[in-house]
Amino acid sequence: MNAFGLAPLLLIFPAIGVLFNTFAGPRLIRAERKTGEMYAGWFASLMAILAFLVAVMLYFSLRAHDYHAETVRLFDWIVVPSAGFTIPWAIQVDTLSVTMMLVVTGVGSLIHIYAIGYMHGDPGFHRFFAYLNLFLFFMLILVSGSTYLMLFVGWEGVGLCSYLLIGFWFDRVNEQGKVMNADAGRKAFVVNRVGDFAMVLAMILLFWAFGSLDFGAVFGSAVDLFAHGEMVTLFGMEMTVGAVLTAVTILFLLGAAGKSAQIPFYVWLPDAMAGPTPVSALIHAATMVTAGVYLMVRSNVLLEIARQSTLDGVAGASLLGLSGPDWIALTGAATAVLAGLIAFTQFDIKKVLAYSTISQLGFMVAAAGMGAYVAAMFHLITHAFFKALLFLGSGSVIHGMEHGHHHVHEHDHEHDAHHKAEKFDPQDMRTMGGLRHKMPITFAVYMVGTLALAGIFPFAGFWSKDEILAHASTNHGSIFTAVYILLTVAAFCTAFYMGRQIKMIFFGSPRHEAAEQASESAPIMTYPLIILAALSLLGGLLNFPFFTESAYKAAKAAHSFGINLGLEHWLEHSITAFALTEEGIVHMPHTPTWMQVDVALISTILALAALALAVGVVYRKRPQTATERDPLQGTPIWWFAILPFEWFYMHTVVPAFKWSARWLAEVLDGAFWHDFVHDNIIRDLFVGFAKFSANVLDANGVDGLVNGSGRLTHAVGAVLRKTQTGYARNYALGVFLGTVILLAYFIFAS
Amino acid sequence: MLTILTFFPVVGALIILALKLFKKETDLLIKQLAVGFSVATFLLSLLVLAQFDMAVSGLQMVNRAAWIPSWGISYLMGVDGLSILMVLLTTFISMLAIASSWTAITTQVKSYYVFMLLLEAGMLGVFLAQDLFLFYIFWEFTLIPMYFLIGIWGGKNRIYASIKFFLYTMAGSLLMLLAILYMGITNGTFALPDLIAGREAFAAAQNWLFIGFAIAFAIKVPLFPFHSWLPDAHTEAPTAGSIILAGVLLKMGTYGFMRFNLPLFPEASYQFAPTIAVLAIIGIIYGAIVSFAQKDVKKLVAYSSISHLGFVMLGIFALNEAGLQGAILQGVNHGLSTGALFFLVGVIYEQRHTRMMADFGGLWKVMPVFAVTSLIVTLSSMGLPGLNGFVGEFTILLGSMGSTALGTRPWIYTAFATTGVILAAVYLLWMYQNVFMGPLDKEENKKLRDMNGGELAIMLSFLLFIFWIGIAPSAYFLLMDSTVAKLVAHVMAAATVAMP
């Protein structure tokens, strides 16, 4: 089977969906709301499903072709022949990109369907689905591009969709009169642009060092030069490959920190929760934010060369003594812990999940930085399942709460409207409680998601998280040890804040009348949840480890791995670092292929302890009312509630920028340059000179030439003094006539 | 061919002037004639494109006639890879600008369109003239119609702005005139190809000559710190005037650098490259930051031009193939994006008679089509990949980091210039949010109508090229590739001889 030729359809289907909902959507919905919504929503979902089917066909094509990567060239994009710069639009079909395609379109399809129910009745229904399809379009460009520049097209494109979808309810205003949704979208875009700044520099550096931006060409050239110990000529100087790639990996880290919400740029993601919940699930949990991880895994060759160069002590190949990948690993691990701690202090159901996402992305980034590329992808996939599940579940909860609130309102309305003025936040976990009886399906799937996220055996998260921890613990070096400790702490945090969350949402008794009246969501929303729950339960099978060393060795000897390590054997065809390690060019850190029982036991015990601590101790009987203080409030844990980086930006960078913009515009450009220098100094000097020449020189009877110029400047001076009169026009007319006469003179003179 | 193209709009202007003789003068007929002639000129320029051979690096379709032989002045017109896109941009933008004035201009309709057509002819002359004297006449000539367009049909501060525009650019070109005369007299010819061949004669004075040209062009671009006339002129000019000013007139400055400074004074260009690149980068950052502080949308767009043109200047003085080609394309891109932005500001100004961001908010609700098209143009101006701005910007930045003219650490230039990418998002999204997002809380805004058919047609013309250049720009690069390659080789050969 060969379906590689179908690859362009992957992009064409979502593009059709965008056009459909842009042009036909408004009309359909205006004609008949209910059927219009059905057409708009299902058409968009169908496009997502069709894209998924294309991805499935590409999967089988790869299997049939012995996993050989295939590039489908579409047409030229940027071609500057004399500069040797050629970038085509081309789709690279390899096991890594197909993995991403399957996740994006698969989870994407489920979320599209869910959103038909969730967005029901929204005035911007068709706009929402146009954006969702546009997002799929750009995300597929991102994961399928065969060059860094095409990846970047998707990279910025998904950023745009994120901006549009966060600000989807662009007219919403909070109590302080702030346009909060639009602000949140703008913040996301601008912070991401800071990361993109680094991406642009990294790409340009790669081009001048290796003469291409094509993945294969860049990697090939880097490996060649590195293996032969040759230098790169850059800026007219000789440089080591290691030095260049250290710079590139650090720049990639900055780029990924923007897109994948790592320290120091994670601040946009919590605000991004202002968007509709399906968006949070699709873009801000399952797919877009993992782009940074994909970038790292895609660049595995570059990361490994950078790591090896540092180990070999190559000149210039380190930053403060650490290699580029070390920085990536540490950044990820630190983010995992910090975000995990901040999640303790959140009351908004989605904000907890947002910080959880930042923390889990930290796991993935750390894994990629440690060279555990398969584990990073494994966690990316399982996280897509269970975090999409949790977000959609939280959407179901919010929906239920809103429903309950409406119910109360209608009820009130019949008697008296004294509750009208009450402000109600359907996302505040303090107003929830006891929802397990009201929303049994949501509760059941949410529990699956929670256990998967907390890393409890045998749910998906257990396997993928454990692989990362096992990798960190079995490799030697202080970086690995530090990352192992940080990630273990982060895993403990994860279980704790999730325990706190389910306790506050589902257990105890309702703390608000809306929670009392909450009801289960419609089947169109719960079915996707059930599918995702099944995936969160079984996702571990994707890369099931061997249980013992001897089992692994036996399977290896027999060349038959069965179901075990499926993802690793699938991905190793596109993660070239495996092959390079075998050739001895680099020494990629090895991920254990059988279970590390000690690591698994420690993390499981910690997770169970944290769950028990949250559910059974700290929040055992609390909160009782919606206004009660959190038991942790006042403890050092709560210090993280002030959001260290957020505070820093809002109190230093933003005001400084605004102040400097005002100062530059009003004082330097306006008062000084425009008014003073031009209108006073230059004009007055000119006028003064004109007066001088007219009165002094003219009066003293100098020769005709000076005379003439004196008169001219006099005229100019007069014009300048009388700028508000019609005199100026006459002067310009004079110049015009002068030009004409001059022209006529030359024409006839010849 | 080129002569016909250049003077074709003049014919239109003359016919409009002659209407009175036949007692047929009505505003409608004038408008129809003006639009007709601008469309015809655009089609003529496409004909030029059809005859253009992109494999040839030198001048093509040359018209040469002796004019004032005793002074060495000739009538010399020609087109090459540096100018072909500028010519097309001129005819395209002029056509849209003239069409966009249909309802906006109600007073002195006849003179307005006459000036517009004369302006178009002048700009075409600037891009096609290959004799310095001829060039200078066209260059100065463009000032006159623009002066009247701002001065008569402009905003309330129009007289001040128009005089400032006129004197500022006039003063700048005086030094250029001196430089032209000096070269013409030492060589006995004003024809550019001859001067380039005989540049030994004035090589000793080339630093001064470079400065003479550079100041004239830098004011036009405008390069920081010569930008002060631009916000005044832009805010006061009528919509079509702003479109042409941003779309074409500013490109005369960047074109001048490429056409004259680089080939005539290669050693000086190489030597001054870091200085000009630094000014360009200051312009990128300064223009972007000052944009952010503006309350008037049109002024914001005007300052953003300073930032965008900074990229173009950086590309030119990277003095390599990628930089220069990126610069030419970015000139076109800026013409499209900023021209479209000014047009959009005009659309809303016609209805609301205000351009203050504070007077708007939530317009998406009443004008969804306008909002979406504005979003695309805003994103194009921000350099979103897939739209035109990115292609130019990235190629320029690529060129700047590979530049040998910028010393041993060109990446520092690139890094600073790239911050413009962040700042563009800051000020453009700020503008977009203030106008289109937020609650629709002003009564006057609730009754606004969305774009009409004519406005949409103009907008779609802009969008066509915004997408085309964004997605498949290779044809555009191929048009200029051989000319630019030759120019770079010329500059580099001279510079390496001078500075081993």
Side-chain angles (χ1 to χ4, degrees):
Chain A
M1 179 176 155
N2 181 343
F4 293 119
L6 295 182
L9 286 176
L10 204 62
L11 305 177
I12 292 170
F13 283 130
I16 293 174
V18 176
L19 296 176
F20 178 82
N21 266 317
T22 308
F23 295 107
R27 259 157 236 163
L28 284 171
I29 287 178
R30 218 179 300 130
E32 220 284 299
R33 173 104 221 160
K34 202 159 175 142
T35 50
E37 275 191 7
M38 279 297 131
Y39 279 122
W42 277 106
F43 192 90
S45 307
L46 183 68
M47 291 303 125
I49 293 166
L50 286 173
F52 175 69
L53 292 178
V54 174
V56 170
M57 283 160 90
L58 293 176
Y59 167 81
F60 284 111
S61 303
L62 273 179
R63 288 186 67 119
H65 280 78
D66 215 15
Y67 309 104
H68 279 308
E70 192 78 29
T71 305
V72 182
R73 203 184 149 103
L74 303 177
F75 54 90
D76 280 338
W77 183 19
I78 306 180
V79 180
V80 188
S82 55
F85 181 54
T86 306
I87 300 280
W89 292 103
I91 295 176
Q92 177 160 339
V93 184
D94 63 9
T95 55
L96 178 58
S97 66
V98 169
T99 308
M100 289 300 289
M101 290 172 200
L102 286 168
V103 173
V104 170
T105 54
V107 177
S109 299
L110 291 174
I111 293 172
H112 272 71
I113 295 168
Y114 173 95
I116 298 174
Y118 191 86
M119 297 307 288
H120 169 66
D122 194 286
F125 191 90
H126 58 278
R127 192 161 54 90
F128 182 82
F129 279 95
Y131 289 167
L132 273 196
N133 272 188
L134 185 67
F135 168 75
L136 275 191
F137 174 75
F138 278 122
M139 191 70 205
L140 288 168
I141 288 186
L142 195 162
V143 300
S144 70
S146 74
T147 64
Y148 276 106
L149 206 62
M150 195 166 154
L151 182 152
F152 189 69
V153 174
W155 185 273
E156 283 244 307
V158 292
L160 163 69
C161 298
S162 167
Y163 162 78
L164 291 170
L165 282 161
I166 295 168
F168 180 71
W169 291 306
F170 57 77
D171 55 344
R172 286 203 180 165
V173 180
N174 71 1
E175 294 104 64
Q176 287 90 45
K178 288 236 177 230
V179 196
M180 47 187 293
N181 291 35
D183 275 342
R186 201 159 47 88
K187 180 175 178 181
F189 209 136
V190 170
V191 174
N192 266 293
R193 272 262 160 151
V194 180
D196 296 352
F197 157 83
M199 288 289 288
V200 168
L201 291 182
M203 287 190 292
I204 297 176
L205 211 51
L206 280 177
F207 176 79
W208 287 114
F210 305 113
S212 178
L213 284 178
D214 182 86
F215 292 136
V218 170
F219 303 155
S221 162
V223 169
D224 261 5
L225 292 169
F226 179 74
H228 298 110
E230 283 170 28
M231 306 289 264
V232 176
T233 311
L234 202 58
F235 317 135
M237 290 181 287
E238 298 272 290
M239 279 189 197
T240 60
V241 179
V244 174
L245 289 183
T246 301
V248 168
T249 45
I250 299 285
L251 288 168
F252 276 165
L253 171 61
L254 287 173
K259 188 89 357 191
S260 294
Q262 300 293 295
I263 290 172
F265 300 141
Y266 67 81
V267 291
W268 65 270
L269 188 61
D271 287 23
M273 295 300 122
T277 303
V279 171
S280 313
L282 179 60
I283 300 186
H284 303 123
T287 55
M288 181 189 86
V289 287
T290 61
V293 181
Y294 170 74
L295 171 73
M296 300 296 179
V297 177
R298 179 55 84 193
S299 311
N300 63 82
V301 174
L302 307 184
L303 264 65
E304 289 312 319
I305 294 177
R307 187 197 316 279
Q308 194 63 45
S309 304
T310 311
L311 291 175
D312 297 348
V314 170
S318 72
L319 179 68
L320 304 177
L322 296 178
S323 72
D326 289 345
W327 281 104
I328 296 171
L330 285 177
T331 306
T335 308
V337 175
L338 179 67
L341 288 169
I342 299 176
F344 282 34
T345 65
Q346 300 298 308
F347 291 117
D348 186 308
I349 180 172
K350 284 176 71 183
K351 288 259 165 96
V352 175
L353 294 178
Y355 282 107
S356 164
T357 304
I358 298 173
S359 172
Q360 297 301 307
L361 288 166
F363 274 84
M364 297 173 217
V365 170
M370 289 187 301
Y373 303 106
V374 176
M377 287 303 293
F378 188 21
H379 199 55
L380 187 156
I381 297 167
T382 60
H383 177 261
F385 296 154
F386 60 70
K387 192 52 73 61
L389 169 62
L390 287 171
F391 265 115
L392 296 186
S394 80
S396 177
V397 169
I398 296 164
H399 219 250
M401 290 290 285
E402 275 172 348
H403 240 256
H405 186 61
H406 273 288
H407 194 84
V408 173
H409 253 268
E410 276 165 29
H411 189 72
D412 274 348
H413 199 68
E414 286 163 20
H415 301 283
D416 63 328
H418 74 275
H419 276 292
K420 268 270 180 213
E422 178 212 33
K423 269 186 229 83
F424 170 70
D425 178 3
Q427 300 185 193
D428 192 334
M429 297 192 297
R430 285 171 296 193
T431 62
M432 298 174 185
L435 289 181
R436 68 184 184 283
H437 304 301
K438 315 281 180 197
M439 312 179 76
I441 303 175
T442 305
F443 169 65
V445 297
Y446 211 93
M447 284 306 291
V448 174
T450 301
L451 294 174
L453 172 56
I456 307 297
F457 179 86
F459 294 91
F462 167 78
W463 304 102
S464 54
K465 194 181 284 184
D466 214 60
E467 198 173 319
I468 297 173
L469 290 172
H471 180 95
S473 82
T474 51
N475 279 290
H476 298 290
S478 48
I479 297 298
F480 290 100
T481 311
V483 170
Y484 175 67
I485 293 169
L486 284 170
L487 290 186
T488 305
V489 173
F492 178 84
C493 295
T494 310
F496 186 88
Y497 64 69
M498 282 317 289
R500 171 178 179 266
Q501 186 176 48
I502 52 161
K503 177 68 182 43
M504 287 177 83
I505 300 172
F506 294 106
F507 293 94
S509 48
R511 292 179 293 274
H512 189 279
E513 43 204 352
E516 273 168 29
Q517 299 295 336
S519 58
E520 186 58 274
S521 301
I524 197 166
M525 289 167 68
T526 50
Y527 283 147
L529 287 175
I530 292 167
I531 297 174
L532 284 169
L535 291 169
S536 305
L537 182 60
L538 303 173
L541 294 175
L542 280 176
N543 201 36
F544 207 58
F546 287 94
F547 277 91
T548 59
E549 187 173 354
S550 53
Y552 170 71
K553 287 188 170 149
K556 195 169 181 187
H559 286 287
S560 156
F561 290 93
I563 186 176
N564 302 69
L565 300 179
L567 190 66
E568 178 162 335
H569 291 129
W570 161 254
L571 282 178
E572 70 184 13
H573 299 285
S574 21
I575 297 178
T576 321
F578 279 109
L580 295 179
T581 305
E582 260 171 41
E583 290 167 34
I585 296 172
V586 297
H587 303 284
M588 178 172 141
H590 181 66
T591 309
T593 43
W594 58 87
M595 272 218 18
Q596 304 294 304
V597 180
D598 49 344
V599 175
L601 271 180
I602 291 173
S603 67
T604 309
I605 290 170
L606 280 176
L608 286 172
L611 277 177
L613 187 67
V615 178
V617 182
V618 182
Y619 295 93
R620 196 162 95 94
K621 290 231 163 99
R622 280 176 291 193
Q624 296 283 7
T625 64
T627 49
E628 193 179 311
R629 262 165 69 95
D630 191 278
L632 294 179
Q633 234 159 329
T635 66
I637 290 286
W638 220 257
W639 295 344
F640 291 95
I642 61 163
L643 312 175
F645 283 88
E646 175 86 26
W647 189 91
F648 173 75
Y649 293 135
M650 288 326 233
H651 288 80
T652 57
V653 179
V654 174
F657 177 77
K658 284 189 173 161
W659 183 85
S660 65
R662 254 203 315 278
W663 188 81
L664 280 179
E666 285 163 18
V667 180
L668 188 68
D669 203 73
F672 176 73
W673 200 245
H674 183 276
D675 297 346
F676 181 70
V677 175
H678 286 275
D679 293 358
N680 294 6
I681 297 189
I682 297 182
R683 184 178 63 178
D684 290 355
L685 274 180
F686 201 58
V687 172
F689 175 71
K691 273 187 183 158
F692 173 77
S693 48
N695 301 338
V696 182
L697 295 179
D698 214 27
N700 291 327
V702 280
D703 65 328
L705 191 69
V706 178
N707 230 333
S709 78
R711 285 213 190 88
L712 183 68
T713 38
H714 178 77
V716 171
V719 167
L720 282 162
R721 266 181 274 117
K722 301 182 180 178
T723 49
Q724 302 299 323
T725 70
Y727 205 83
R729 224 180 280 172
N730 298 341
Y731 165 66
L733 193 68
V735 175
F736 176 66
L737 290 174
T739 315
V740 171
I741 292 167
L742 207 65
L743 267 173
Y745 168 76
F746 281 123
I747 289 166
F748 292 114
S750 63
Chain B
M1 184 72 214
L2 298 179
T3 306
I4 297 171
L5 175 67
T6 308
F7 291 101
F8 196 68
V10 178
V11 175
L14 290 175
I15 291 177
I16 290 177
L17 284 174
L19 282 179
K20 207 162 192 178
L21 298 177
F22 303 102
K23 306 263 188 293
K24 288 237 172 70
E25 188 183 280
T26 61
D27 283 359
L28 182 67
L29 187 61
I30 290 171
K31 285 193 238 178
Q32 284 168 340
L33 274 172
V35 172
F37 267 91
S38 64
V39 172
T41 314
F42 177 62
L43 295 177
L44 269 178
S45 68
L46 290 183
L47 219 59
V48 170
L49 176 67
Q51 292 178 15
F52 186 81
D53 180 357
M54 58 194 191
V56 175
S57 59
L59 291 174
Q60 306 183 32
M61 296 175 232
V62 176
N63 280 345
R64 186 163 196 171
W67 184 10
I68 312 168
S70 53
W71 289 38
I73 296 172
S74 56
Y75 176 82
L76 176 58
M77 305 277 266
V79 66
D80 66 2
L82 297 183
S83 48
I84 182 74
L85 280 175
M86 291 296 127
V87 169
L88 293 166
L89 180 73
T90 306
T91 55
F92 180 71
I93 295 282
S94 298
M95 177 177 73
L96 295 187
I98 288 175
S100 76
S101 314
W102 196 274
T103 53
I105 299 300
T106 48
T107 55
Q108 307 192 45
V109 175
K110 181 171 72 172
S111 8
Y112 178 82
Y113 287 101
V114 168
F115 282 129
M116 285 296 265
L117 288 168
L118 289 179
L119 181 59
E120 181 174 9
M123 295 185 300
L124 285 170
V126 166
F127 291 126
L128 291 171
Q130 304 294 340
D131 179 281
L132 267 70
F133 195 82
L134 186 64
F135 166 78
Y136 188 77
I137 289 173
F138 279 122
W139 173 271
E140 289 293 313
F141 178 74
T142 58
L143 287 181
I144 297 155
M146 198 62 215
Y147 168 80
F148 286 112
L149 286 173
I150 299 175
I152 299 176
W153 294 275
K156 57 178 182 289
N157 224 354
R158 57 182 181 268
I159 305 291
Y160 169 83
S162 58
I163 293 187
K164 190 167 179 178
F165 165 76
F166 193 94
L167 289 183
Y168 217 89
T169 33
M170 182 94 178
S173 21
L174 285 176
L175 285 173
M176 179 166 74
L177 181 62
L178 284 179
I180 290 176
L181 290 175
Y182 177 85
M183 288 191 298
I185 289 161
T186 49
N187 279 47
T189 174
F190 284 90
L192 182 62
D194 303 343
L195 283 174
I196 293 172
R199 63 187 176 79
E200 287 306 316
F202 50 83
Q206 66 166 298
N207 280 1
W208 292 109
L209 296 171
F210 180 93
I211 291 172
F213 275 81
I215 286 179
F217 296 143
I219 289 174
K220 203 71 160 189
V221 169
L223 186 66
F224 178 89
F226 305 106
H227 63 273
S228 202
W229 63 272
L230 179 88
D232 287 319
H234 262 311
T235 23
E236 298 308 327
T239 297
S242 292
I243 294 175
I244 290 192
L245 196 55
V248 188
L249 281 179
L250 306 188
K251 309 308 150 18
M252 285 167 35
T254 54
Y255 168 79
F257 275 107
M258 286 184 267
R259 171 66 72 204
F260 301 105
N261 285 50
L262 300 195
L264 285 171
F265 325 114
E267 295 90 351
S269 299
Y270 194 85
Q271 199 186 326
F272 282 112
T275 315
I276 294 185
V278 166
L279 290 178
I281 289 165
I282 293 176
I284 292 174
I285 297 171
Y286 182 88
I289 295 181
V290 173
S291 273
F292 178 76
Q294 300 305 317
K295 298 176 177 74
D296 178 333
V297 182
K298 208 171 179 189
K299 223 168 183 170
L300 185 148
V301 179
Y303 274 104
S304 83
S305 287
I306 299 168
S307 184
H308 284 120
L309 269 297
F311 275 105
V312 180
M313 289 304 293
L314 177 65
I316 296 174
F317 282 89
L319 294 180
N320 57 14
E321 292 86 351
L324 272 162
Q325 298 202 30
I328 296 174
L329 190 72
Q330 190 62 4
V332 176
N333 290 337
H334 174 261
L336 293 168
S337 308
T338 309
L341 277 175
F342 277 125
F343 171 71
L344 291 164
V345 175
V347 168
I348 192 72
Y349 183 78
E350 251 186 78
Q351 290 196 52
R352 280 284 274 110
H353 296 286
T354 174
R355 291 184 306 246
M356 291 295 156
M357 282 196 282
D359 292 333
F360 297 114
L363 291 197
W364 193 317
K365 294 213 138 162
V366 279
M367 313 173 76
V369 179
F370 182 67
V372 171
T373 47
S374 302
L375 179 66
I376 298 172
V377 175
T378 306
L379 293 169
S380 127
S381 183
M382 254 170 73
L384 188 87
L387 299 176
N388 59 348
F390 175 75
V391 177
E393 254 173 45
F394 188 80
T395 318
I396 288 170
L397 291 171
L398 190 82
S400 71
M401 207 191 271
S403 170
T404 49
L406 300 180
T408 52
R409 288 193 181 80
W411 60 271
I412 295 179
Y413 293 81
T414 314
F416 274 99
T418 310
T419 58
V421 168
I422 306 171
L423 296 172
V426 173
Y427 69 82
L428 283 168
L429 292 179
W430 172 247
M431 174 198 78
Y432 193 79
Q433 175 174 333
N434 276 299
V435 176
F436 293 100
M437 296 182 163
L440 181 68
D441 49 6
K442 312 260 183 327
E443 275 310 314
E444 305 92 310
N445 293 336
K446 289 182 181 159
K447 296 186 288 288
L448 290 174
R449 61 154 178 85
D450 211 333
M451 292 169 102
N452 61 28
E455 288 162 351
L456 196 60
I458 292 175
M459 207 52 230
L460 289 178
S461 319
F462 278 118
L463 289 181
L464 173 72
F465 287 94
I466 284 176
F467 278 107
W468 183 7
I469 299 180
I471 294 168
S474 49
Y476 293 81
F477 285 115
L478 290 176
L479 279 178
M480 48 181 145
D481 194 63
S482 58
T483 309
V484 168
K486 189 180 138 204
L487 176 60
V488 170
H490 169 77
V491 173
M492 282 303 150
T496 38
V497 169
M499 279 160 261

